[in-house]
């Protein structure tokens, strides 16, 4: 049901998460140059460091957002899935910090990329979607009382 505002929010969340998967989250700068830190990994000092866990979290969160759109007949499950999606994105930031501290040393500097804020925007849109779904649930219950 595309005419519902929560569907639009969840579609935007899907687009933002796909964009976050493709763009670099930041850049490590050292004497060898600048290395982009993407969701799948980074090449530092000639060695490729895999961060596929970040990619998996973003991919799972994208799949959950798309699946939540089609749960419009079961609003309570839709609310639960949207909250779960937000918790996944909080876990993404925790995993990002773990990878950041594992890869950071005294020889390199880190510059944040703008794609790192896209999951945060997705969390905000998920909260807005939960509010809109809850509003729909209240309206349906009010209509049921009148019958």
């Amino acid at each position: 049901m595309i005419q519902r505002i929560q569907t639009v929010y969840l579609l935007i969340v899907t687009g933002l998460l796909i964009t976050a998967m493709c763009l670099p989250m930041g850049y490590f700068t050292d004497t060898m140059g600048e290395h982009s830190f993407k969701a799948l990994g980074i090449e530092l000092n000639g060695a490729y460091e895999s961060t596929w866990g970040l990619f998996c979290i973003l991919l799972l969160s994208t799949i959950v957002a798309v699946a939540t759109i089609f749960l419009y007949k079961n609003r309570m499950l839709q609310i639960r899935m949207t909250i779960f999606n937000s918790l996944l994105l909080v876990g993404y930031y925790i995993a990002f910090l773990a990878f950041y501290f594992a890869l950071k040393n005294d020889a390199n500097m880190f510059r944040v990329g703008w794609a790192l804020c896209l999951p945060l925007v997705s969390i905000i849109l998920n909260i807005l979607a939960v509010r809109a779904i809850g509003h729909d649930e209240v309206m349906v219950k009010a209509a049921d009382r009148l019958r």
Side-chain angles (χ1 to χ4, degrees):
M1 304 207 40
I2 194 70
Q3 69 266 23
R4 298 170 65 210
I5 190 67
Q6 56 265 30
T7 304
V8 175
Y9 291 149
L10 292 171
L11 282 173
I12 294 172
V13 165
T14 302
L16 289 175
L17 293 176
I18 290 172
T19 305
M21 279 189 275
C22 298
L23 294 177
M25 298 174 284
Y27 301 93
F28 280 104
T29 306
D30 59 3
T31 57
M32 302 297 284
E34 190 171 72
H35 311 283
S36 62
F37 181 27
K38 293 186 177 181
L40 280 175
I42 182 172
E43 186 174 341
L44 280 175
N45 302 328
Y48 184 77
E49 300 289 336
S50 177
T51 58
W52 60 268
L54 294 175
F55 182 80
C56 288
I57 292 172
L58 285 177
L59 182 65
L60 181 63
S61 185
T62 303
I63 292 169
V64 168
V66 170
T68 304
I69 293 171
F70 297 106
L71 295 173
Y72 59 87
K73 291 183 181 178
N74 190 349
R75 286 172 296 282
M76 294 312 293
L77 180 61
Q78 198 175 26
I79 288 174
R80 286 189 203 112
M81 294 293 284
T82 307
I83 292 171
F84 175 69
N85 196 2
S86 295
L87 292 175
L88 269 177
L89 292 174
V90 169
Y92 166 79
Y93 279 113
I94 293 170
F96 171 78
L97 287 175
F99 280 118
Y100 168 75
F101 286 120
L103 296 172
K104 178 81 171 113
N105 59 26
D106 294 335
N108 58 17
M109 300 285 295
F110 184 73
R111 183 171 53 95
V112 176
W114 65 272
L116 189 60
C117 72
L118 295 179
L120 180 64
V121 175
S122 297
I123 291 172
I124 293 168
L125 288 171
N126 278 332
I127 292 169
L128 291 173
V130 166
R131 290 182 61 201
I133 297 165
H135 180 70
D136 279 358
E137 183 68 21
V138 168
M139 284 186 357
V140 167
K141 285 185 179 181
D144 286 344
R145 273 194 307 260
L146 293 175
R147 289 183 193 177

